[in-house]
Amino acid sequence: MPPEIISLVNMVVVPIGLGAIMFSMGLSLSLTDFREVARNPKAVAGGLFGQLVCLPPLALLLAWAFRLPPEMAMGLFILAVCPGGITSNAITYAAKANVALAVVLTTLSSLITVFTIPFLVSWALGHYFVHGEAPQMSPERTMLQLAQMTLLPVLAGMALRRLSSGFADRVTVWLRPASLVVLVAVILFSVFVSLELVIDNLLRAGPAAFALNVLSMGVGLAIATILGLSRQDRLTVGIEVGIHNATMATFLSMSILQELALAVTPTIYGVLMVINAGLLVRWFKARAARQALEPAPAE
């Protein structure tokens, strides 16, 4: 593929796609949705703790355990600092779990990471690369870019809903599926332009990406169980902590850092996370069905 096309997609299409995804999220939100924070504070706090506090150290540990080269380790870390995303909301909806909780967690983590991602990624670049070899990144400029791609579209969507909820509902009907199409297109494009890198490094990066996804879901479920959350909320937190924002990770790798090799791990992860989340949902449903058939304990 010509470099001009790759540059156009990385610098224009991916940012616009990410903005459209965040705008569609904002269209479905109103201030009343954040009542979930007061109604279910343990679930919200536990989910955010898993997403924002537990995942970055987990990625560092896995990169060390799998002896990943700097580019793959960096890609894994970028995934860890990009939690949530519209995919997790869609999977939560399909699983008939707590959609309100999922949307609040995704929204809050997306807004918080506007400020955390630039500094965590900047630190990781210095950690994994020798000085002079690291892709260049300005934390302040990155924060501004992330705000433009996430914070502003979400607020614009919420403002439109505030002005005309009926129109927002009609737009959401087609924009949300379109956002999922954008997500799939970004992953497929990443696979296409880095196909040789993905194939060459599949056996190296694949197990680490798989482990990050499975362990992230395990962390979410463990936190939810410790907090004594309901079955639906446990599943929701497991999905929200386990499903990362692959579109955001691709945007950081290819549009901001402009380093194709960093996108290898997020690209592989983007495929694995959907498969594993589906297996998690099936396991939860099968477990609930078995428990429903068990006789009630004698009094």
Side-chain angles (χ1 to χ4, degrees):
M1 181 177 291
E4 296 80 9
I5 300 297
I6 295 176
S7 178
L8 175 66
V9 172
N10 290 343
M11 305 309 295
V12 178
V13 177
V14 172
I16 290 176
L18 179 60
I21 289 173
M22 302 310 293
F23 180 68
S24 71
M25 184 187 301
L27 279 176
S28 64
L29 281 171
S30 65
L31 293 177
T32 57
D33 293 314
F34 292 94
R35 291 175 182 170
E36 188 70 15
V37 177
R39 190 192 72 81
N40 204 355
K42 287 198 301 183
V44 174
L48 289 176
F49 180 80
Q51 290 176 320
L52 303 175
V53 178
C54 297
L55 295 187
L58 177 61
L60 291 172
L61 179 62
L62 289 174
W64 171 81
F66 283 92
R67 300 293 191 268
L68 295 182
E71 293 83 1
M72 293 182 193
M74 191 68 216
L76 198 71
F77 188 81
I78 289 174
L79 274 168
V81 299
C82 296
I86 197 169
T87 307
S88 61
N89 295 170
I91 292 172
T92 301
Y93 176 80
K96 298 180 179 178
N98 190 337
V99 178
L101 174 60
V103 171
V104 167
L105 282 174
T106 297
T107 304
L108 290 177
S109 65
S110 297
L111 298 181
I112 293 170
T113 52
V114 167
F115 306 99
T116 59
I117 284 175
F119 295 101
L120 288 172
V121 171
S122 179
W123 172 85
L125 287 171
H127 176 70
Y128 284 119
F129 291 91
V130 177
H131 181 69
E133 295 180 357
Q136 298 301 305
M137 189 194 81
S138 165
E140 293 77 14
R141 183 182 176 190
T142 301
M143 188 181 299
L144 180 60
Q145 289 176 293
L146 292 179
Q148 292 172 340
M149 294 299 102
T150 58
L151 182 59
L152 292 183
V154 168
L155 293 178
M158 292 181 67
L160 182 56
R161 168 164 286 279
R162 178 80 173 178
L163 293 172
S164 177
S165 59
F167 178 73
D169 287 336
R170 291 193 296 272
V171 173
T172 303
V173 168
W174 64 265
L175 188 56
R176 177 157 289 183
S179 299
L180 289 173
V181 170
V182 169
L183 171 64
V184 173
V186 167
I187 294 174
L188 290 178
F189 176 77
S190 300
V191 171
F192 183 76
V193 299
S194 59
L195 184 60
E196 187 175 348
L197 278 172
V198 170
I199 292 174
D200 289 344
N201 297 288
L202 182 61
L203 294 180
R204 190 78 184 271
F210 179 85
L212 177 64
N213 184 223
V214 172
L215 291 177
S216 296
M217 290 190 293
V219 165
L221 293 175
I223 291 172
T225 301
I226 291 171
L227 293 176
L229 302 184
S230 67
R231 187 188 73 86
Q232 275 196 328
D233 287 354
R234 290 200 308 273
L235 177 57
T236 302
V237 172
I239 292 171
E240 284 295 315
V241 178
I243 297 295
H244 300 175
N245 194 336
T247 308
M248 176 67 79
T250 301
F251 172 71
L252 285 166
S253 301
M254 301 177 69
S255 300
I256 292 183
L257 297 174
Q258 300 183 33
E259 184 60 56
L260 187 61
L262 300 182
V264 170
T265 309
T267 299
I268 296 171
Y269 187 93
V271 178
L272 292 175
M273 69 179 186
V274 177
I275 297 172
N276 288 337
L279 294 174
L280 174 66
V281 172
R282 289 178 64 87
W283 176 73
F284 246 77
K285 289 184 176 180
R287 189 163 174 261
R290 287 196 303 270
Q291 290 175 345
L293 294 174
E294 291 177 359
E299 295 184 2

